[in-house]
Amino acid sequence: MDRLDLGSTSPGAQPSAMPAGPSPFPPISDYAFLSDCEVCALVAGGGKIEWLCLPRPDSASVFGAMLDRSAGLFMLVPESVTVPSHRRYLPGSLVLETTWQTPTGWLQVYDCLVIERWGGGERSSNYRRAPGDFVAAGVLLRVATCVDGDAELILNCMPMFDYGREPGAWSYAADGYEQAKVRSDSLDLELRLTTNLPLGLTGPRAVGRVPLKEGESAFAALSWGGHGPRTTEEAHEQVWRTTQIWRQWLKGGTFPDHEWRSYLERSALTLKGLSYAPTGAILAAATTSLPETPGGERNWDYRFTWIRDSAFMLWGLFTLGFEWEAFEFYAFMLETVGQNPLQIMYGIGGERELEEHTIDHLSGYEGARPVRIGNGAYDQRQHDVWGMLLDSIAIHARRGLTQQLAKSGWELIAGFVEDAIAHWSEPDRGIWEVRGEPKHFTASKVLCWVALDRGARLAETRGDAERVEKWRRVADEIHAEVCDRGVDDRGVFVQHYETEALDASLLLIPLMGFLPPDDERVRNTVLAIADELTKDGLVLRYRVEHTDDGLEGEEGTFTICSFWLVSALAQIGEVERARALCEKLLSFASPLLLYAEEIDAASGRHLGNFPQAFTHLSLINALMSVIEAETEPIR
């Protein structure tokens, strides 16, 4: 097939059945993740940028080949070679280096979303607070250099706006052939392509070809508001400066001198890359509708912020020393949840209505449909949300926050505790957002207890004795009921009051301090999950045959839950078993040390949206738990 062929470019084309033979879609773990903390991009192993949404990461896609091979992409690759020799991030950065061996030479390509140091200046209209150390330049930059012999370089840039519905029409933007622009009137978005390749414009495509000899470079900069480089020298300088800025940011963290340090550093960079700097929000993942079940319907939009992630997010950021990022996320949360009722999730700009709909003209990743935009779970009742929020506030309180809160702020927090009191005895949809009937989920009750427990601690620091007494009394009531109705005959906690089924969310019982690790019921539950709720040693959220989640089909093991099990095993003293599982999980990392939401235990295939913030958060928690358990002094 000609390297420039992408199939149909007609908007709204109906998806066809997947062809027999190898999938035209790369494995999910094959993607590299780029970010400038305002937008994200995914780069397939073959050098194609297949996911980019503008002007925000939750906007419509400009390059969407990840979800349909005709929905737009951006190639800068050598002629006649489709598989690179090596890929890596430049150490300490989100700058991707891809090395290609061609029949005639060697080529290196660097990809990044350009960032620049922020030195003050005019206030940005879309930033809620002053930016941190760097800001996005609004430029996707690709630089190729022939490092040996010679190589033919091909450029093919075909944006398809609005999730592939709207092809653009390129036009030249200067007197020569090296600058072009394309516009979407419906989205009010203009892209400008600057390169040192002579461009040919054919409707929605901008294409170019150039031979490179050893030492020669070519670049392509796609911009949407910023100004890209005009020369190869400027392009190399922007790549190097972006690398330096990322490394400078990473130096602000505190990492153990340990064999697992590279995983912790990559997770920290990924979480930073999933942050949305203008507001401080952190996306659950960069993508939508990557399937949890191959070819199935478990396809969700994760480009939002979940309150559930908050406590783990803050714990992970503080543990690794990134206090500014923790403050930014915490500030976003308090600004966003100031309106009742509290939701389980919000848009990255604080949006409350995240109406879910399907995009039926896209084929979906490997035919997995529907492709969903928005998330219908936003208005579900999930009672864990108060506990996660209060635990987040308590984490900050350990740094003296509650003494600084105005009375109105304290009353807002107290209102959330009262909401937990009002609803803890009711059924809900549970931590996994099941779309079946509401149940009395044990983990939901536990998290309501967390809300009361953390609320009472906060009230005590403020001298609010009346609330301390009331909230501790209700916390004791919840605790007693869970220990009475949430445990089966063998002393194991169960998913909900009407079943003996297990659920990985029960691992939160020791992790959130509901019971101490040496409690026999905790140990029984952790070991039961390890032995009975696993597939090839990796943890399932629940068994679909025992849980009415309102969906069809199987799902993979949830990597979050497997890392939770590592932490829980370490807490109950099963340190060798915790390390063994941890090493197994680390072996499943993508070649670039990234994780999707799930792992197919039989094949090691990554499933679900990518990269997944919660997975990397639980990785940090698990690795630090094992490291601390192994370094505790012998008593």
Side-chain angles (χ1 to χ4, degrees):
M1 183 178 72
D2 185 273
R3 292 299 299 279
L4 300 182
D5 182 26
L6 272 173
S8 170
T9 61
S10 60
Q14 291 299 310
S16 57
M18 292 293 296
S23 170
F25 292 84
I28 291 171
S29 61
D30 203 34
Y31 285 102
F33 170 65
L34 306 180
S35 174
D36 59 11
C37 298
E38 288 192 18
V39 298
C40 307
L42 293 184
V43 190
K48 303 172 184 176
I49 294 176
E50 298 191 357
W51 188 248
L52 174 67
C53 300
L54 293 173
R56 298 191 343 176
D58 59 348
S59 300
S61 66
V62 170
F63 302 130
M66 184 185 72
L67 294 178
D68 190 299
R69 303 316 281 168
S70 64
L73 55 68
F74 183 7
M75 293 168 45
L76 190 69
V77 296
E79 173 63 51
S80 74
V81 182
T82 60
V83 179
S85 299
H86 185 65
R87 299 169 83 215
R88 65 164 186 157
Y89 285 111
L90 293 183
S93 80
L94 286 177
V95 177
L96 179 69
E97 175 192 84
T98 305
T99 301
W100 303 81
Q101 182 183 12
T102 76
T104 58
W106 288 80
L107 189 76
Q108 282 185 333
V109 178
Y110 294 95
D111 292 321
C112 67
L113 284 158
V114 178
I115 54 177
E116 300 173 337
R117 298 191 189 281
W118 185 70
E122 294 185 6
R123 182 167 57 87
S124 173
S125 60
N126 67 331
Y127 270 73
R128 293 185 179 177
R129 290 165 291 280
D133 295 334
F134 63 82
V135 293
V139 177
L140 174 61
L141 179 57
R142 318 193 72 183
V143 181
T145 300
C146 182
V147 295
D148 183 76
D150 58 80
E152 189 90 0
L153 186 69
I154 294 173
L155 180 151
N156 176 22
C157 185
M158 191 183 80
M160 294 288 288
F161 299 100
D162 195 18
Y163 297 110
R165 292 188 182 99
E166 182 186 348
W170 286 97
S171 61
Y172 290 108
D175 293 337
Y177 293 94
E178 297 177 340
Q179 293 185 53
K181 60 184 179 180
V182 62
R183 180 172 179 80
S184 166
D185 291 328
S186 65
L187 302 179
D188 191 24
L189 177 65
E190 181 174 282
L191 305 179
R192 183 175 292 261
L193 181 62
T194 304
T195 178
N196 62 341
L197 280 73
L199 292 173
L201 307 181
T202 57
R205 301 179 194 271
V207 299
R209 183 187 298 263
V210 67
L212 296 177
K213 296 181 180 179
E214 184 174 336
E216 292 181 338
S217 296
F219 76 96
L222 188 70
S223 58
W224 49 91
H227 297 286
R230 297 300 181 93
T231 66
T232 55
E233 290 77 13
E234 289 181 9
H236 280 292
E237 174 61 26
Q238 287 193 11
V239 169
W240 179 239
R241 188 165 61 244
T242 296
T243 304
Q244 287 182 310
I245 294 172
W246 278 118
R247 288 173 174 171
Q248 186 68 29
W249 176 83
L250 194 64
K251 281 169 57 179
T254 304
F255 299 91
D257 184 17
H258 193 273
E259 61 187 294
W260 294 338
R261 176 172 180 155
S262 60
Y263 296 92
L264 293 168
E265 290 181 339
R266 183 52 50 194
S267 291
L269 286 161
T270 302
L271 293 175
K272 179 65 173 177
L274 288 169
S275 68
Y276 182 61
T279 64
I282 297 180
L283 288 86
T287 58
T288 180
S289 298
L290 292 182
E292 297 175 10
T293 304
E297 66 171 334
R298 297 171 184 266
N299 319 314
W300 315 111
D301 192 348
Y302 276 11
R303 296 171 297 165
F304 308 109
T305 288
W306 266 257
I307 295 299
R308 178 181 308 123
D309 299 4
S310 58
F312 293 94
M313 181 69 69
L314 294 172
W315 186 93
L317 292 171
F318 277 129
T319 296
L320 297 181
F322 294 107
E323 300 210 0
W324 174 256
E325 283 70 25
F327 167 77
E328 285 283 287
F329 181 58
Y330 181 75
F332 165 78
M333 282 199 309
L334 286 191
E335 291 167 349
T336 303
V337 304
Q339 305 176 51
N340 272 325
L342 182 64
Q343 296 182 183
I344 68 165
M345 57 192 289
Y346 297 87
I348 58 174
E351 297 84 4
R352 298 178 64 85
E353 295 187 10
L354 309 175
E355 184 177 349
E356 181 179 302
H357 60 279
T358 63
I359 301 184
D360 297 328
H361 66 276
L362 295 179
S363 69
Y365 177 85
E366 292 191 335
R369 302 180 71 199
V371 173
R372 290 183 171 92
I373 303 301
N375 197 307
Y378 78 93
D379 60 355
Q380 280 191 359
R381 293 181 61 181
Q382 296 176 25
H383 296 165
D384 64 284
V385 65
W386 296 297
M388 288 300 187
L389 180 61
L390 265 295
D391 193 51
S392 302
I393 295 170
I395 290 172
H396 268 265
R398 290 198 283 270
R399 286 159 172 79
L401 175 76
T402 51
Q403 286 79 8
Q404 303 168 18
L405 272 176
K407 188 177 189 301
S408 59
W410 171 239
E411 292 302 320
L412 174 67
I413 292 170
F416 294 136
V417 180
E418 293 293 335
D419 286 341
I421 292 173
H423 296 289
W424 76 266
S425 61
E426 301 169 358
D428 74 329
R429 302 282 182 177
I431 193 171
W432 305 126
E433 300 167 8
V434 299
R435 301 194 176 196
E437 290 300 313
K439 300 289 185 182
H440 289 281
F441 287 100
T442 303
S444 295
K445 312 292 186 186
V446 169
L447 267 298
C448 285
W449 173 88
V450 170
L452 273 295
D453 176 75
R454 305 310 192 261
R457 296 185 193 184
L458 294 170
E460 190 170 39
T461 65
R462 294 180 63 87
D464 196 337
E466 182 178 347
R467 281 175 168 150
V468 171
E469 181 182 359
K470 176 185 177 182
W471 292 349
R472 283 183 174 161
R473 184 176 66 251
V474 178
D476 290 343
E477 181 182 348
I478 298 172
H479 200 281
E481 179 180 296
V482 169
C483 291
D484 177 44
R485 301 184 62 190
V487 183
D488 66 12
D489 292 340
R490 56 181 184 155
V492 172
F493 284 97
V494 294
Q495 182 186 62
H496 60 80
Y497 289 171
E498 301 168 12
T499 184
E500 293 187 354
L502 292 169
D503 192 301
S505 63
L506 301 168
L507 294 167
L508 294 174
I509 289 174
L511 298 184
M512 301 300 289
F514 181 81
L515 285 171
D518 59 0
D519 186 284
E520 185 178 357
R521 292 162 295 184
V522 168
R523 183 174 181 83
N524 292 344
T525 302
V526 172
L527 295 179
I529 290 173
D531 295 335
E532 302 169 25
L533 194 61
T534 55
K535 184 182 293 185
D536 292 338
L538 304 184
V539 182
L540 299 163
R541 293 190 298 180
Y542 47 78
R543 294 199 179 275
V544 294
E545 63 269 25
H546 297 154
T547 301
D548 176 21
D549 61 11
L551 299 167
E552 298 293 332
E554 293 288 333
E555 63 178 21
T557 64
F558 258 61
T559 316
I560 302 163
C561 302
S562 295
F563 279 122
W564 282 354
L565 180 57
V566 170
S567 299
L569 286 169
Q571 282 197 8
I572 68 171
E574 296 285 339
V575 180
E576 290 185 8
R577 191 168 180 179
R579 170 176 264 275
L581 177 56
C582 197
E583 289 176 338
K584 182 171 186 174
L585 289 166
L586 295 181
S587 75
F588 285 118
S590 82
L592 295 171
L593 304 189
L594 301 175
Y595 286 88
E597 185 173 28
E598 300 183 19
I599 294 172
D600 181 271
S603 66
R605 181 180 182 181
H606 285 225
L607 300 168
N609 285 306
F610 184 85
Q612 177 85 0
F614 213 168
T615 304
H616 285 276
L617 288 168
S618 58
L619 179 152
I620 293 170
N621 190 317
L623 269 60
M624 294 301 293
S625 294
V626 175
I627 292 171
E628 291 171 4
E630 292 183 335
T631 55
E632 285 183 357
I634 299 175
R635 296 176 181 176

